[in-house]
Amino acid sequence: MSMPAMKTEVSAVAIPQAAAAAPVVTMTPKRAPRAETYAKMAKETAARAVPPLIVVALLLVVWELICRRAGSSLPPPSKVFKDTRELILDPFFDNGGIDKGLFWHLSASLQRVAYGYSLAAIAGIALGTLVGQSVWAMRGLDPLFQVLRTIPPLAWLPLSLAAFRDGQPSAIFVIFITSVWPIIINTAVGIRNIPQDYRNVAAVVQLNPLEFFTKIMIPAAAPYIFTGLRIGIGLSWLAIVAAEMLIGGVGIGFFIWDAWNSSHISEIILALFYVGIIGFVLDRLIAGLGKVVTRGTAAN
């Protein structure tokens, strides 16, 4: 009678041990094949790129049909390409003076924009923070800003030429005075819209003014700041093209004006194409930077 009972007890103990010794199999999530991933990326890229390409192609066809008629004052796209082929294929030539390829004209304009826009960004964020944080500063400076920002960019050029007596700093000043206002206004709005809870937390942990500025104010107002920066970079690029038409020298604005004086309409159209593309790229760069800094909360 005792032997069967022992066998039953041993088997009952052995079963859990055997189960415990069995290997545990973990289920890993299936990864999508690379072909499917690449196909999805290609589909998303095509969804973004194909519609504008179709629109551009249709516009070129309409432009070609309209301007190929006799007596047309503007050249069709085929003639523009034929007339500017050398400028397109060799943008780096430099024969001295103002006889340079489009690369040098565009780089000169971009350098002026970089100087003026950088100064505008620094001054705009600083003044916007002051106006947004201080009621007295807002009451004293905001009316002045609202008046000055309505002055057209080129209206500042004669004054800047009289003050600096040189075209380079005058153009940089025009860029600065044109692009600083949206940065100031948007920064001030962002600072004023910081939630009161953030300020209460800063008071509880006793942040000093510098810590409050770097850890609370700038991160909270960053979406507004980058909106102003995007508007500012567009205005900077607009202002430099207009200013260079008057100050002369190397620059895409002067290139357009010189082409007009020489009746080279195709060169003007090519330069406008480059101006538009670079303006778009500058806007995308600021938007991308804003998306990274604000972790996707800035307008894209």
Side-chain angles (χ1 to χ4, degrees):
M1 296 292 293
S2 61
M3 292 299 292
M6 287 180 63
K7 287 182 180 179
T8 304
E9 185 178 355
V10 171
S11 62
V13 174
I15 288 172
Q17 290 177 349
V24 179
V25 178
T26 58
M27 300 296 292
T28 56
K30 269 189 174 183
R31 291 185 178 180
R34 289 188 176 181
E36 292 183 7
T37 303
Y38 293 150
K40 185 178 179 181
M41 293 174 59
K43 188 177 180 180
E44 292 177 355
T45 304
R48 290 177 175 270
V50 170
L53 289 177
I54 293 175
V55 172
V56 170
L58 290 175
L59 289 175
L60 289 175
V61 170
V62 173
W63 178 12
E64 181 75 25
L65 293 175
I66 293 175
C67 294
R68 288 188 71 173
R69 296 180 303 174
S72 176
S73 57
L74 293 177
S78 57
K79 189 174 189 306
V80 171
F81 178 77
K82 181 180 178 181
D83 294 342
T84 62
R85 185 174 180 179
E86 294 182 3
L87 287 173
I88 297 172
L89 298 179
D90 185 16
F92 302 102
F93 73 87
D94 186 354
N95 297 328
I98 60 173
D99 188 11
K100 301 178 185 292
L102 279 172
F103 172 81
W104 304 110
H105 289 283
L106 290 169
S107 62
S109 298
L110 285 171
Q111 287 178 13
R112 297 184 181 110
V113 168
Y115 290 137
Y117 180 72
S118 298
L119 294 173
I122 295 171
I125 294 173
L127 288 172
T129 302
L130 176 63
V131 172
Q133 187 68 10
S134 171
V135 176
W136 286 100
M138 180 184 67
R139 291 175 180 173
L141 294 176
D142 186 66
L144 179 63
F145 293 159
Q146 297 299 333
V147 170
L148 293 178
R149 75 182 184 89
T150 60
I151 300 175
L154 290 184
W156 291 100
L157 189 58
L159 185 64
S160 61
L161 287 171
F164 298 108
R165 299 183 182 277
D166 187 28
Q168 181 77 356
S170 299
I172 294 173
F173 174 78
V174 170
I175 295 167
F176 168 82
I177 205 68
T178 302
S179 59
V180 72
W181 310 120
I183 301 174
I184 292 175
I185 294 170
N186 281 274
T187 302
V189 172
I191 296 297
R192 286 198 293 266
N193 285 334
I194 294 176
Q196 186 60 38
D197 292 342
Y198 291 7
R199 300 180 186 273
N200 295 337
V201 170
V204 170
V205 300
Q206 297 181 351
L207 296 179
N208 60 47
L210 180 60
E211 290 174 336
F212 180 71
F213 177 77
T214 57
K215 296 181 179 180
I216 301 295
M217 293 176 67
I218 293 300
Y224 293 90
I225 294 173
F226 275 95
T227 299
L229 291 174
R230 285 186 66 184
I231 298 172
I233 193 64
L235 292 177
S236 297
W237 192 234
L238 291 174
I240 188 58
V241 173
E244 286 175 345
M245 289 184 178
L246 300 180
I247 65 173
V250 178
I252 192 62
F254 176 75
F255 177 87
I256 293 173
W257 189 249
D258 185 62
W260 164 252
N261 290 330
S262 303
S263 299
H264 295 160
I265 305 300
S266 296
E267 294 183 3
I268 296 175
I269 295 174
L270 177 65
L272 293 178
F273 172 78
Y274 281 125
V275 168
I277 292 297
I278 291 178
F280 173 78
V281 171
L282 292 175
D283 178 78
R284 291 291 91 194
L285 287 175
I286 300 299
L289 180 61
K291 191 174 181 180
V292 171
V293 172
T294 63
R295 299 179 181 180
T297 58
N300 192 7

